[in-house]
Amino acid sequence: MKTVEVGNNITVHYIGTLADGTEFDNSYDRGTPINFEVGAGLMISGFDEATVGMTEGQTKTFTLSSSEAYGDYVPDAIQHVSKEAFGPEYDFVVGTTVQGQGPQGAFLATIRAIDESSVQLDMNHPLAGKELTFNIEVVEVQTLTTASSATVTMLEGLKVPELRAVAKERGLKGYTKLKKAELLDLLGA
């Protein structure tokens, strides 16, 4: 039986619920489990960490604080934006998620309020500030002896400080003074 370790690609089914028992996501209902590389930073940190040490077929229930999930709710993340930024034909509906482009790139926000000239946007993740409970099942563990071509391509496109951050995230030692080629070798690219 394979045990989940940092660097493995795994397939997981899950059900996510809020503290009051409300279900916010369910991969079983979608009929599609999720796949991700453990420790690559693709999942919320608490979810990622909870899979380490599990085995194929094992199920586990765990609860994450907001800081282990989508972070605390930040009141300063609410912004007022002119309706003109949306275009003349936009249909404003409170509770709708909108996508935009800001100074720091693309973002998602939820419309919280509308007045005659502006829209109040909440830039917090919809699950920010919430405690989340997950029931997960490890469907498959793939132990790779070499990095996938997608991972190699991604790593080769990173700069030295970014490669060092990946090495640190993976818990590797001795990466702080390595050059790019040495870092790629250490990361298995």
Side-chain angles (χ1 to χ4, degrees):
M1 200 170 270
K2 297 176 187 172
T3 301
V4 177
E5 298 176 9
V6 173
N8 292 151
N9 284 325
I10 64 172
T11 304
V12 176
H13 261 302
Y14 68 96
I15 299 171
T17 56
L18 301 174
D20 66 2
T22 303
E23 193 173 285
F24 65 85
D25 200 3
N26 186 328
S27 67
Y28 293 101
D29 286 351
R30 286 193 309 276
T32 306
I34 58 169
N35 302 296
F36 63 95
E37 181 183 339
V38 178
L42 303 174
M43 303 296 293
I44 56 176
S45 63
F47 189 102
D48 202 12
E49 292 165 8
T51 63
V52 176
M54 292 182 69
T55 58
E56 282 182 341
Q58 183 179 357
T59 60
K60 179 180 191 177
T61 300
F62 56 93
T63 300
L64 303 176
S65 68
S66 62
S67 63
E68 297 171 300
Y70 291 97
D72 295 326
Y73 188 84
V74 179
D76 290 343
I78 295 177
Q79 309 221 341
H80 292 272
V81 176
S82 170
K83 283 183 171 179
E84 293 174 3
F86 291 85
E89 302 298 317
Y90 193 84
D91 184 24
F92 297 98
V93 178
V94 172
T96 302
T97 300
V98 296
Q99 182 176 347
Q101 191 70 27
Q104 275 125 13
F107 66 87
L108 292 176
T110 303
I111 296 176
R112 290 289 175 219
I114 306 164
D115 65 30
E116 288 189 31
S117 62
S118 69
V119 179
Q120 185 184 65
L121 297 180
D122 186 346
M123 308 292 199
N124 286 290
H125 187 281
L127 295 173
K130 298 187 184 329
E131 183 178 271
L132 307 179
T133 298
F134 290 94
N135 181 314
I136 63 174
E137 173 190 7
V138 176
V139 177
E140 182 181 12
V141 178
Q142 297 174 338
T143 53
L144 302 175
T145 54
T146 58
S148 69
S149 61
T151 301
V152 169
T153 301
M154 181 208 59
L155 289 173
E156 288 175 346
L158 297 177
K159 296 180 179 172
V160 171
E162 295 163 326
L163 289 168
R164 288 182 179 146
V166 171
K168 179 180 181 181
E169 197 171 274
R170 291 186 181 178
L172 301 174
K173 305 288 183 210
Y175 61 86
T176 57
K177 295 185 183 196
L178 297 179
K179 294 181 178 157
K180 185 168 183 170
E182 296 166 321
L183 285 163
L184 289 170
D185 187 44
L186 177 68
L187 294 168

